[in-house]
Amino acid sequence: MSDALDRVVDALAGVNEGDVAAALTALGVDGGRQGLVRETPRTPLPPPQGSTAVDSEVEWV
């Protein structure tokens, strides 16, 4: 970590969440919390050998 970030972490050690939120609000940081970003499950690709059951109309150019 950079020296500045180390100093911020040291300054906030032992401080409760409400105090941190108040300090960030005083600095003008938006106080809205963002929800957790969840990874969207993806359908796995077929094996490299291919599958005879898969039909595609995609044309590679």
Side-chain angles (χ1 to χ4, degrees):
M1 281 192 260
S2 69
D3 289 337
L5 187 53
D6 283 336
R7 287 192 302 264
V8 169
V9 170
D10 289 341
L12 294 176
V15 178
N16 68 33
E17 184 179 351
D19 291 341
V20 172
L24 292 174
T25 301
L27 292 172
V29 177
D30 183 17
R33 287 186 173 232
Q34 296 178 352
L36 294 176
V37 177
R38 296 180 188 217
E39 188 173 326
T40 304
R42 297 174 186 249
T43 305
L45 294 173
Q49 302 87 355
S51 171
T52 57
V54 176
D55 214 9
S56 175
E57 296 181 17
V58 175
E59 180 179 341
W60 295 96
V61 187

